[in-house]
Amino acid sequence: MTNRPIAVVGASAAGITAAEALRRAGWDGPLTLIGDEPHLPYDRPPLSKQLLHGAWEPAKLMLRTEEQLTPLGLDLRLGTRATGLDVATRTLTLDGGERLACAGVLIATGVAARTLPAAEGLAGVFTLRTLDDALALRDRLSGGPRRLVVVGNGVLGCEAAAVARELGHDVTLVGREPVPMSAAVGAGIGELLAEEHRARGVRLLTGEVAAFETSTDATGGAVAQVSGVRLADGTLLPADVVLLAIGSEPAVGWLADPALDTTDGLGCDAYCAAAPGIYAAGDVARWEHPVHGRPLRFEHRMNATEQAMAAARNLVAELTAEAAEASAGAAVEGAKPPERRPFAPVPYFWSDQYGLKLQAYGLTAGADEVETTVLDHDARRAVALYGRAGRAVGVLACALPPRQIRALRAVVATPVPWEEARDRVREATTAG
């Protein structure tokens, strides 16, 4: 087609999946994979669970070895950051000043952890987004019980708090909302999680951070060490370690071209295209979901993989059509170029906390109606149905067997009337 490469920006799960999907879709030209971290692509969900716990080492998180990447023929640029993109010419600018003219670009830069200005340069305060973040936090929690304050009671904060308690640390979990994970799963499931955390010894508080208390570094150095978290109501929480789990921001700051919509991620159409020849996948992508009829963005592992495959196929289809048009009559008579297809997944996410596994299908956040049924309080076994404008759009299972979970997915594969979905959920959770 061209001697210009397709560049995949982001050596993430979405990025490596996209690179492999591009080859499977027929792209045999140059292929560049750019990642700002020095590591080979790795899996992020275990960072807050198995890696932080110490059950896994970094090698187990790697999605591909160097040997497994060899057949892809990649121009692999690790430790390299993309700093700009000219949409009209599909030209990337890299942090060393190099300009890379591309046939197409697939953006999989994910998100960056939010932090607080007062935490800058303060020892003992961590975020948890990258492999290096997780290793640094794990190292700080080693060597005996610590007083850990987790700021943010969403999915990441709850998972990290659970691991820290299992390791024997004194844990306080602070959130703006009184119920953990309520924005993602609703109050009913959130209350069950709160009960489990309290039963395990986690202190749950509602509040906002006003300031950090500090002490002189124990080694005599000049770096200030966190010694406590002061909440807006004046409460002081003594702390040896603080984890900020206060959400994330899509990594779109480097995309300044006005042709792109970077409001809450990179805006894309139903085919995952942000502009001609420019596609996106994973946490950074906000695209028009053809079933739900509105733009959505998911920071979930399964979506990263599925969307990367869809975006890669559609990019190759577009470039094939461009090449056929450019060569006019040179195309083989009767050959039909591949067609782009809308990306319409049934979203899925999971969370592991203590012995509990939460699994959700469809849309659970932003529901205007939620119905939670506790099937076994002591076992924290429950199911929740989520609705929007009179139709069921999401379902969540807590500690349910696989057979029932598979049945629940079918309930929200497409939005259905609320009453019909309630009956189907009841049937799925009481059968056999």
Side-chain angles (χ1 to χ4, degrees):
M1 297 178 187
T2 175
N3 60 359
R4 290 186 172 191
I6 289 180
V8 179
V9 185
S12 55
I16 186 58
T17 301
E20 293 174 334
L22 287 164
R23 289 301 192 208
R24 287 196 301 271
W27 177 258
D28 58 5
L31 181 56
T32 301
L33 179 61
I34 300 164
D36 61 356
E37 295 183 59
H39 311 292
L40 290 172
Y42 60 86
D43 217 7
R44 292 189 192 276
L47 294 178
S48 61
K49 298 182 276 288
Q50 293 94 336
L51 188 87
L52 186 60
H53 194 285
W56 289 10
E57 291 302 321
K60 195 164 183 178
L61 274 66
M62 297 300 138
L63 294 169
R64 302 291 183 272
T65 63
E66 290 187 17
E67 292 75 16
Q68 289 170 329
L69 292 177
T70 299
L72 294 177
L74 290 176
D75 174 16
L76 185 59
R77 311 281 192 97
L78 297 178
T80 301
R81 186 180 298 273
T83 59
L85 172 61
D86 183 287
V87 171
T89 63
R90 302 177 193 173
T91 299
L92 286 166
T93 301
L94 306 182
D95 54 6
E98 178 184 357
R99 289 174 61 80
L100 185 64
C102 303
V105 178
L106 199 153
I107 296 167
T109 47
V111 296
R114 289 194 184 110
T115 186
L116 295 173
E120 188 172 350
L122 190 59
V125 180
F126 298 83
T127 56
L128 183 49
R129 173 63 189 171
T130 69
L131 175 57
D132 290 341
D133 290 341
L135 290 173
L137 178 58
R138 187 174 79 172
D139 181 67
R140 194 58 176 252
L141 291 174
S142 65
R146 307 284 187 185
R147 297 171 300 176
L148 171 66
V149 174
V150 180
V151 181
N153 61 0
V155 178
L156 178 62
C158 287
E159 289 181 348
V163 168
R165 274 304 298 149
E166 289 175 338
L167 292 173
H169 299 293
D170 180 279
V171 180
T172 300
L173 181 61
V174 182
R176 288 183 174 181
E177 300 297 327
V179 178
M181 287 179 55
S182 59
V185 303
I189 298 295
E191 287 287 0
L192 277 184
L193 291 174
E195 290 178 12
E196 185 67 12
H197 278 281
R198 291 192 187 99
R200 300 280 185 157
V202 176
R203 182 185 183 192
L204 302 182
L205 295 177
T206 305
E208 295 192 31
V209 174
F212 294 104
E213 301 290 320
T214 62
S215 62
T216 304
D217 188 284
T219 63
V223 177
Q225 163 70 42
V226 70
S227 60
V229 177
R230 179 79 63 179
L231 301 184
D233 65 2
T235 300
L236 176 62
L237 305 175
D240 306 305
V241 186
V242 175
L243 172 61
L244 299 180
I246 53 176
S248 58
E249 296 286 350
V252 294
W254 62 285
L255 296 171
D257 193 309
L260 299 175
D261 173 10
T262 55
T263 305
D264 185 30
L266 180 56
C268 300
D269 63 16
Y271 303 95
C272 307
I278 312 294
Y279 286 70
D283 297 359
V284 74
R286 175 177 51 83
W287 89 105
E288 293 287 338
H289 195 295
V291 174
H292 292 284
R294 59 190 178 96
L296 300 173
R297 187 173 68 83
F298 293 113
E299 295 182 23
H300 302 313
R301 176 64 174 83
M302 291 299 295
N303 184 72
T305 300
E306 293 176 355
Q307 191 166 30
M309 291 189 288
R313 287 194 301 266
N314 287 338
L315 174 54
V316 171
E318 180 180 326
L319 296 182
T320 302
E322 284 183 359
E325 183 177 347
S327 59
V332 177
E333 185 176 353
K336 184 178 181 181
E339 294 184 355
R340 299 192 308 161
R341 298 197 300 270
F343 179 55
V346 179
Y348 169 78
F349 84 88
W350 79 94
S351 177
D352 296 311
Q353 297 172 42
Y354 308 108
L356 298 179
K357 178 176 281 292
L358 277 68
Q359 298 182 77
Y361 290 100
L363 310 183
T364 59
D368 57 32
E369 188 168 9
V370 181
E371 182 175 290
T372 302
T373 303
V374 178
L375 303 169
D376 184 333
H377 193 279
D378 292 338
R380 315 287 190 223
R381 193 162 61 91
V383 62
L385 185 66
Y386 303 82
R388 189 182 178 98
R391 303 183 76 80
V393 296
V395 65
L396 181 147
C398 182
L400 261 63
R403 176 183 52 78
Q404 291 182 338
I405 292 169
R406 287 193 296 270
L408 291 173
R409 181 189 185 280
V411 174
V412 294
T414 57
V416 297
W418 179 257
E419 293 299 330
E420 177 186 338
R422 289 178 67 191
D423 292 342
R424 292 173 63 184
V425 166
R426 190 176 300 113
E427 179 181 349
T429 53
T430 57

